[in-house]
Amino acid sequence: MLVVTAQPAAAEDVTTIWSGWTASPDTGAPFFYGVSANWVVPKTTCNKPTPTGVHDLYSSWVGLGAGEPMIPDWLVQIGVITSCGEVGKPNTPTYEIFWEAVDTSIPRKDVMPPQHTADFVHAGDLIAASVTSNNQGLWALTLDVNGKNQQKLQFTPSAEQKAKSTAALENYTAEVISESPVTLQQWPDFGSVTFINTQVITDETTKAWAPFIKQTALRVTDALTLANKKATKTGPLEPVNNSFTTTYLKPS
C-alpha cells in the first residue's frame, strides 16, 4: 500500500477495478465532510466487445464511503461514465453524468437510485464534481460542466439512514477514481485523465488534501491485464494543483 503523509512511500495497493487515489482519516483526524476534483473528459476509443458481447465501460468520479475497508451501509458518488455499445453505434462512446447514494446494508436500499444523463457532457469538457455532507445529515452532489452547473442534487436520508451516515463520517474514506465496474472489467482506451484540485473537506470551512490524511494509490491488477489485455496505472500525487493522472495501458 502506498501511504503518503509528509514523506513519500514506496508501495501500492492493488485493485481489479479502480485506478486513482483514496484518502482515509488517520486516528484523531477530522471527519471527512466532502471530496471534490476537476478533470477534462478524455476522448475515448471503444475496443471491440468481448466474444460474449461485453462492451467497454468506465467512469471517473468523486465519492465518499467506497474505499477499503468499505464503510458499512453508505456510499455516495457523482461523476462521468463513458460507455460503448449503444444500439446503432457499437463503437461510438457515450458520455453521461451519473450519480447515486446507496445504503449498502442487507437488503440494499437505493437512497438516491443510480441515474445518468447524456444531455450535457462531451469529450473535452471540463468537469468540477463534489460530494459533501454536513453534521445535520444533509447531502449535496454537484457537477459543473465548463463552469456551468448541470447537476445539483440535495437529499436528506431517512431518520435511520441519517443516523448511520452521520455516525459513519468519522471513518469515511474519500475517493477520486477511474473505474471499470467489477462485473465487466472492460476498459476502453481513454488515453489518460488528469485530476486536479483534488480536495477533501475536513470541516465545514477548510478544504485540504492534508499531511494528516492517509492516501493510497490504486492500480488495476496484473491479473486483469492477463484476462483481457487491458489495464490502467495511477500516477503519483503531485503537490502542484494536488493533481494526479490515471492512464490506459494499451495491450502489448
Side-chain angles (χ1 to χ4, degrees), residues 58-77:
Y58 99 102
S59 59
S60 297
W61 54 269
V62 302
L64 289 178
E68 294 293 343
M70 175 71 82
I71 300 304
D73 301 338
W74 208 249
L75 162 64
V76 184
Q77 60 186 162

Side-chain angles (χ1 to χ4, degrees), residues 119 146 213:
D119 293 344
N146 298 326
I213 296 165

Side-chain angles (χ1 to χ4, degrees), residues 96-175:
E96 302 175 289
I97 301 170
F98 85 97
W99 63 92
E100 67 176 329
V102 180
D103 176 349
T104 60
S105 58
I106 304 299
R108 172 184 170 127
K109 304 177 185 70
D110 287 324
V111 181
M112 184 179 289
Q115 299 180 62
H116 53 83
T117 174
D119 293 344
F120 308 111
V121 186
H122 307 87
D125 286 345
L126 175 63
I127 303 298
S130 67
V131 172
T132 59
S133 181
N134 64 19
N135 56 14
Q136 303 301 313
L138 176 68
W139 286 84
L141 295 81
T142 63
L143 191 142
D144 293 353
V145 180
N146 298 326
K148 297 180 180 179
N149 182 262
Q150 298 295 353
Q151 203 65 56
K152 186 172 184 179
L153 308 161
Q154 289 188 333
F155 70 95
T156 301
S158 67
E160 175 188 6
Q161 293 161 348
K162 177 180 176 182
K164 285 191 287 189
S165 66
T166 303
L169 276 172
E170 182 175 359
N171 297 309
Y172 268 142
T173 56
E175 301 82 40

